[in-house]
Amino acid sequence: MPLIGFGHLLFKGVKEAVDNQGFIGIFYGGLEQAAAGISGALIISYLAALVFKPKMS
């Protein structure tokens, strides 16, 4: 996902959370909206680290 798209996703989540829960939505709205993308990136990175071993010089 491009950086601009990620920023838009965070903003959209914050906007929806603020509309629903008020001020407290600022703190968790963006992360709630982007949690699947962040989790996917972490899982894929972990699997890549298991498959590809770094070479020490």
Side-chain angles (χ1 to χ4, degrees), residues 17-18 21-28:
V18 167
Q21 284 123 10
F23 182 74
I24 196 75
I26 293 172
F27 299 108
Y28 78 94

Side-chain angles (χ1 to χ4, degrees), residues 35-51:
I38 294 170
S39 298
L42 289 173
I43 291 169
I44 290 171
S45 300
Y46 179 73
L47 292 175
L50 290 177
V51 172

Side-chain angles (χ1 to χ4, degrees), residues 2-56:
L3 189 56
I4 295 171
F6 184 69
H8 176 70
L9 185 67
L10 290 175
F11 173 75
K12 185 174 141 187
V14 168
K15 183 179 177 193
E16 289 176 6
V18 167
D19 289 342
N20 292 334
Q21 284 123 10
F23 182 74
I24 196 75
I26 293 172
F27 299 108
Y28 78 94
L31 293 178
E32 182 180 343
Q33 188 77 10
I38 294 170
S39 298
L42 289 173
I43 291 169
I44 290 171
S45 300
Y46 179 73
L47 292 175
L50 290 177
V51 172
F52 300 105
K53 301 292 180 191
K55 295 180 182 178
M56 298 298 285

